[in-house]
Amino acid sequence: AAQAPAWEPGTAHGYHPLTYGWLLDELVRRVTGRGAGEWIASEIAAPLGLDLWLGLPDSVAAEGRVGRAGRLPSAPEPTGGLRVRAKRSVTAAYDDPDSLTRRAFAAITPFPDQNDPAYRATALPATNGIATAGALARFYAALIGEVDGVRLLAPATMEAARAEESAGPDRTLVINTRFGLGYMLHGTASPLLGPGSFGHPGRGGPLGFADPDTATAFAYVTNGYRKTVTADPRAQSLVKALRSALSL
């Protein structure tokens, strides 16, 4: 909280791979008295019948249905410096132990084994949600319309979610990104279905989004980790096929 900003607020933007989740968790706790994992389980997953968890219950873990995730690439630990100079790619920036990119992604150091039962059981809102593709798509569908009597966002809130809040060179991801209020928006960094789509890619290749203009929700999940940060070619091939099926 005491750290000075890396740039003058309002002059640039950068992706927060981990810290954003803790900020949201605290908001949920102050409003509801429950952590984000507990709130999601009772207010979203249960009403919609979703195989979706933030903090995997022991009962589900015992069923053996959760795939093993690939290992994260290793990188040098930060030395305490801070470099915000431009890099040619996010990979080059990630490999620099003192870059803003590496410091942002190394907010949990050392990062735990993603397959460790203790990690899966912990509610870390920005990094360890576990879901099936069907559940994730159903969740996004409920953001933009009613699903079995449940709608998660009012129309005005949905429009606020997909309204652009920042765009341009991303100081963390070293590409041009567009963001709404927490959601990534359609753009060159992570093409979604169309200009009005909002959602987010996941570490290693997953992707989920909603497109109100076509009343479409989409999700792709994988345990086959790739080094891609945004536009994973596997997910993008499916998005391209979906776009073609909808004649867009």
Side-chain angles (χ1 to χ4, degrees):
Q3 180 179 334
W7 57 79
E8 181 183 347
T11 63
H13 75 281
Y15 178 57
H16 284 237
L18 294 167
T19 53
Y20 192 76
W22 293 316
L23 295 172
L24 289 183
D25 183 70
E26 184 65 16
L27 288 175
V28 173
R29 288 178 184 276
R30 295 196 181 198
V31 172
T32 71
R34 292 176 289 174
E38 297 174 86
W39 190 86
I40 288 171
S42 64
E43 304 299 326
I44 295 178
L48 287 166
L50 305 182
D51 281 335
L52 183 154
W53 300 272
L54 180 63
L56 190 70
D58 291 340
S59 58
V60 178
E63 295 176 10
R65 293 193 295 131
V66 182
R68 289 185 60 82
R71 297 189 65 83
L72 292 171
S74 59
E77 300 297 341
T79 64
L82 176 60
R83 302 174 185 173
V84 294
R85 62 175 179 267
K87 296 286 183 178
R88 291 185 177 180
S89 70
V90 67
T91 301
Y94 189 83
D95 288 340
D96 180 348
D98 296 325
S99 71
L100 189 64
T101 303
R102 178 58 190 163
R103 289 167 63 86
F105 278 91
I108 302 176
T109 303
F111 201 90
D113 178 1
Q114 299 172 92
N115 300 306
D116 188 323
Y119 169 77
R120 291 176 170 179
T122 303
L124 297 173
T127 185
N128 73 336
I130 294 175
T132 63
L136 190 58
R138 186 173 169 87
F139 161 75
Y140 270 105
L143 295 180
I144 60 175
E146 193 171 291
V147 176
D148 291 341
V150 178
R151 177 163 183 164
L152 298 176
L153 296 181
T157 306
M158 181 196 71
E159 291 301 329
R162 65 174 180 161
E164 183 179 281
E165 292 290 329
S166 61
D170 190 302
R171 294 288 186 93
T172 305
L173 296 180
V174 199
I175 50 177
N176 288 333
T177 59
R178 298 178 63 234
F179 279 95
L181 294 175
Y183 292 100
M184 186 175 277
L185 306 180
H186 175 75
T188 56
S190 187
L192 305 180
L193 193 60
S197 304
F198 64 98
H200 215 289
R203 184 179 63 234
L207 175 66
F209 64 79
D211 184 69
D213 299 332
T214 59
T216 302
F218 170 95
Y220 166 75
V221 300
T222 175
N223 60 353
Y225 183 85
R226 301 275 181 93
K227 287 187 176 182
T228 51
V229 177
T230 50
D232 185 280
R234 297 166 298 176
Q236 286 303 312
S237 67
L238 295 174
V239 173
K240 182 178 180 180
L242 177 59
R243 194 177 293 121
S244 176
L246 294 172
S247 301
L248 299 178

